[in-house]
Amino acid sequence: MSTGKKAPFFREYVVEEYIVQEEPFYLPQRGEVDIFEAAYKQKIPVLLKGPTGSGKTRFVEYMAYRLGRPLMPSRRRGPEPEEGKLSGNGHGIPLITIACHEDLTASDLVGRYLLEGGETRWIDGPLTRAVKSGAICYLDEIVEARKDTTVIIHPLTDYRRLLPVEKRGLLLEAKEGFHLVVSYNPGYQSILKDLKHSTRQRFVAIEFTYPPKELEAKIIEHEAGVAPELSWQMAKLGEKVRNLRDHGLQEGVSTRLLIYAAKLIAAGIAPRVACQTAIVWALTDDYQVQRSIEEVVSSIFE
Amino acid sequence: MEGIPLELRHEVQQYPPALGEELMQSGPRMRGLLDEEGLVRWCSQGLAIARQAARSWEAAAEYYKVSPLVLPALGVGYFFLWAREGEMVSLDGPSIGVAFFKSSTSVVGRIQGHQVESWARTGHRLFKGTWKSAVLETRFFELSPELLRHLTMPELERLVGLVDRLGHRSNELALECLSLSQEVFSQIGDSKESLISLLGVLVEKSWREVRACLEAVPQALARVEGIHRPEFLHLAERLADSGHPGICSFVIEGSRTLGQIEREQQSLVFQGASAVMAVDAMMVPEVFKNAPLVLSRISPGRFPLWLGEGLRIARENRDGGLAYFRLESACSEAVLESLSHAVELSRFRDILSLYCRALAGRRVDIAPTEELTSKGLGWVSKERATTEGSTVYLPPVVDRFSDKGSNFGWLKVVATHQVAHLEFSTFAFAFQRPSIYFKDLRTSLWNEKHSRDPLLRGPVEAEEIEALVPDLKRFFDLFPERKLALDIFTVVEDGRVDSHVVSEYMGIRGPYSRVQEAALRERPPIEGLGPREALLEHLVRLSLQWQDGHPVPKKQARLVTRIDRIMKMVLAPRATVEDAAEATIRIYAMLSQLAGQEVDQEEAPGQEGPEGGDGQEDTEELLQQSQYSGGESSAGQGSADNDPKAKQKAYASPKPVEYRGDLKPELTQLLARLKEASPELKEKAAARQATREGIQALLAQSVEIDIPPGDAISTRAFAENVMRESGMPPRDSDYVRGPFLHTDDEGGPLQSAEPDTYVYSEWDFRANDYKPRWCIVREKRVPEGDDGFYRKTIENYTSLLNQIRRHFELAVPEAFRKIRRVKDGEDLELDAVLEALVDIRAGISPSEKLYWKRNKVERDVAVAFLLDMSASTAEAIEEARHPYPGWDAPDDPMDYMMWLRNRRGEAGRRHYKRIIDLEKESAVLLTQALATLGDKYGIYGFSGYGRENVEFYTIKGLEEPFDDRIKRRIDKIAPLHATRMGPAIRHAAQKLLQVEAKTRVLFLISDGRPQDRGYSREGVEKEYAVHDTKMALNEAQRKNIVPFCLTVDKTGHDYLKTMCQDMGYEVLADIHSLPQRLPYLYRRLTM
């Protein structure tokens, strides 16, 4: 490679043009793909419920990919894409992910005016961009956002599919293909946090649970690139540890953690140690519970 | 009389004739022994004695009488010495003289001539011129022959020396001790010297104990190993020397302790004791007392280490050392634990319980085996692990190996085996479910059997409890020899479960196979067993993964191959319990034929069965075999009736495999069935005599329980126990251990007649309605105590308190939170202004809301803290939370008082922190924290006993200002009775409603589930309390009160989930964090 054409250190996407390029690995559990597709067709917003690391985000990515086939290359700012990597020029569905947090305001979502050398310039927020570009807009951990923020999505979620942009005095009609997906984790519905009913009842809900052992083993096998036997044991460990949910553990071990542990093992860490760091210590600080999980680990792994 | 001068003779005649007679009697013999002069001397010596006092002639007579016996023993020289001493002694009193001379005959044989003088003087020393001392001296001479039999003269002198000193204190005591010592010294052998010196010290240091000690010693020494006896006494002596009170009890207790210790280990204790003695004598008895316990937990070799650590502590801190040797300090616990190689279940109970829950995927409790055996359900072995379907029972202590790791490994294997029965569904056996590897024979056997004997359907299967009959019972009914079938099934099923464990859990494979190998080594030799026993033994070994061949009777070689094949199928990875059952049928068929051949030749002839199996053992053929056997089974029913004992006797169960414990599949399935039954069915079933009889018959029939045949009473008791265990209300009160459930159902609504009592309704979830005016809440004020606790808490928690204050102070501005974007306020909001400027440029009308202001809305919070003051809060928190026996309050008032007293007694002896102490500390911290906020708050406690006595204690009323009285009241918060939460919550809510506030919070702090007499009992009734509490919380919520439950009960998730469905609750994992957590939660809740 010549020195003139230095390889880029990073990739940059315009937010509404991030399109999932390669098919994410996703194993459907029980018809959630069909439900999502149907909801997408019928323009019904979707609420994904489920514990952490159970595959909600992966599912959204997968669906964005699946619904967007044939693929469209994303236009990258900055460095030119490598030639071979792009395929097709279809109309992939962009995926806009917004992680919600306590200080998220309405204008963070919708947009605001900026001053630029004495001139003002309107800049769209991610939600507005999604509405305009017909993207799938994924609001992750919606309960974290303040309640007054979440109400602005209300008109978007019913038959109107409108986004009022108050500042500009506009009403934006969502482009065909715009789809709102929100997620939340009922598990840590801590003392005072819950989804308002007026919000909650605007969505169809898909419940995510940890996948059954057989499926999870396959997922681990694929994600961590380990032998079927190891992934099976990992899945078994997952199943056993999840039996402790609500009895010392607030949440069961996530598939993500199991994958991490398997990856560590694949990288040459001894299984018991890998499970210790990736699972036991990650899950809990309670000594008794730690000891119990360690015993389970030592029963399963040599 | 020849040789005696006349004047002497005359003189003799002046005394009563008895004197003369004695002289005349002895005279001739004396003349032969003495010369002329000597004879005169002898004679006049007697007269000298006689002259002493009015009755001295009696002593003289005795003198004359014994002289001929004494003289030869002493020789002439010492004889006259003796006589002179006698004269001197007689001066103390004629009767003393008599005693002296009388004893002399035997004494002189036991002492040397020259010791005569010291003997006499020793006695004489006791004489103090009083009548009492004369008695003592007399007694001494009387006892001398006996005493000298066991003691040497110097020893006797020492003994008398101390008796003498004792006599200074009390003559009676001295006399008693002297008399006692004669007996004692005859019993104690070599330890006399030590005993005398012990007594010597005792006389000085604590003379009142001498007698008791003397009495105790013979028995005590008998318990001590011979060579250690002097040492033991020496120890007691040193202890006495150091001024320790209670030497006597030390002697008794100490020897008792030694009796519990193996002989070889006694010297350890002595070494230890003398080392401890060098530091502090007071600790010696403690070392003795606890030595057996310590030695039971650690190996003898480590005893010195344990001791050394204690001595180190003792040198630094005497009280610390004392507590250490009393085993009353955390440090001694820790040291013992680290030195011990035994694994105690109690320490691993929580861990194993979670482990088992993880494996089984459902709630599994861990309990020591005693708990099950005491329930009287049919399990009797205290050593062997088992499960009854929901709890895994494990031996309380494992001490098989010399290191902790192996012991724990063993315990884990045992637990894993038990829980594997649950995980791999041993007890989920279904009669109709097909097996995986076998052709199913069960149904056809069943049909065949019933077609032959339609009357088999006994009373057990009365319609309404049909559903309760365990499938395993139906299965075992197929076999005439139930015991054999059960044994086969147990072995096969255990083997199946083990093979599942080993293939599913790679990690435990190592320890598991080690345990299996060990079990194999313990198997009895196969040679010499009967044919059936040999095959069964072979089966056991197969199930234990026996690899190498082992001898098997040649005759059965064919059967062995067949069994091998069957076992291979059962041990395959996917085999189910039904496979084990099918295998049982086949193996049973083979074994029972074998028995038929051996025991009763007539039954087997002509049958092709055993021979037909050559070469190929495919399922088809096995089917034939088994069908044949099935036929025989039902036919055999008749013959078994004729001669059941001969058959039973001929067969002996294989030796159990220890780690596999005690499997009772039929009983377990019955229990599970009964427990799972719907409440209606339970009630219906319980109401019918048929059920009771059915269960009774079932239990009587089952071979899993060792009830003596025909013992109707115990079967009946078992049946009652089984029914109660499964939550059925028992009816025959004769066999019921506890009283009836929910006695309080009787009686109607209550009224509040007295002042400060309030009546509340209670929610009955079964009726789905309130029980009107059901509870009386009695409001009381906590008496004032000392404010020391308050001050001390503040001192102890200074840093935490500062932290809390800082947080709360920060919270105050939070309350005056900056509200952004308002039309008018303290200052311009920069973001808003920028936006407005931008908007102006952009040509849209800017927002008017350019200011921010502080929220002037004042906090208006009223909070009632409701503290659990139930007796269970007296539990120490340092200890692992183990449930006390009788944790629930008994219903009977008398029992209740006893229970309460015990519990309080326990609390009184405790030095460590209890849950209630943490609650109190939290209350203190809260008062401080809330003072910063200025919220209205009340602190209340609740407890009570029964529905008419719900106690509601005011520590601080909501409107009451905080002052010193409240500090003093906090001191008096104490554990009281039970926990009836519902009424207390209702009353607190009522209190909250009476104050003006925008936000009302009800904060409940408890240590466990609600329970009270008639409020929470076993089985379904537990739900009652939870539901009422839930309803009370709901009521509060409806009145716009925010309820919040905080519990320190780690198992609280279960019921809190029900209780606080959509309310906040928290289970504190670490009780210690209560003081930190409480203010934090409060802040979260109200801001």
Side-chain angles (χ1 to χ4, degrees), chain B residues 536-579:
Chain B
L536 255 179
E537 182 59 33
H538 174 70
L539 195 64
V540 172
R541 294 182 184 200
L542 277 183
S543 78
L544 285 169
Q545 317 274 330
W546 181 266
Q547 300 299 338
D548 326 316
H550 50 82
V552 158
K554 253 195 186 148
K555 252 173 128 184
Q556 276 89 42
R558 222 175 40 241
L559 290 183
V560 167
T561 5
R562 206 177 298 170
I563 286 178
D564 288 355
R565 278 198 177 202
I566 293 172
M567 274 313 268
K568 211 171 199 174
M569 287 156 87
V570 175
L571 300 183
R574 279 169 53 232
T576 61
V577 61
E578 286 79 17
D579 284 301

Side-chain angles (χ1 to χ4, degrees), chain B residues 666-699:
Chain B
E666 200 179 332
L667 192 56
T668 307
Q669 206 177 28
L670 171 68
L671 270 172
R673 284 280 158 92
L674 292 178
K675 278 182 186 167
E676 282 161 15
S678 65
E680 299 90 64
L681 183 61
K682 269 187 199 173
E683 228 153 89
K684 206 168 138 197
R688 303 195 61 143
Q689 190 59 29
T691 317
R692 204 167 304 274
E693 282 166 4
I695 293 175
Q696 228 167 290
L698 201 145
L699 290 173

Side-chain angles (χ1 to χ4, degrees), chain A residues 169-208:
Chain A
L170 292 177
L171 264 182
L172 276 178
E173 200 171 277
K175 191 184 164 191
E176 185 72 22
F178 169 78
H179 198 228
L180 193 63
V181 183
V182 300
S183 79
Y184 92 115
N185 179 353
Y188 44 76
Q189 192 189 12
S190 57
I191 312 173
L192 303 162
K193 264 181 191 157
D194 197 2
L195 209 53
K196 267 195 345 186
H197 269 274
S198 59
T199 308
R200 175 188 273 244
Q201 295 201 3
R202 288 166 182 277
F203 297 87
V204 293
I206 299 178
E207 279 253 12
F208 275 73

Side-chain angles (χ1 to χ4, degrees), chain B residues 139-150:
Chain B
R139 190 84 185 119
F140 167 75
F141 286 121
E142 282 168 4
L143 291 174
S144 287
E146 272 304 304
L147 282 170
L148 281 168
R149 238 158 84 157
H150 306 289

Side-chain angles (χ1 to χ4, degrees), chain B residues 300-336:
Chain B
R302 292 181 169 194
F303 188 74
L305 293 176
W306 176 76
L307 211 72
E309 183 60 25
L311 287 173
R312 194 186 59 73
I313 293 171
R315 280 192 205 100
E316 281 168 14
N317 170 1
R318 187 175 171 276
D319 287 337
L322 211 54
Y324 179 94
F325 287 119
R326 279 186 187 142
L327 303 185
E328 278 173 4
S329 70
C331 168
S332 82
E333 256 311 295
V335 171
L336 211 53

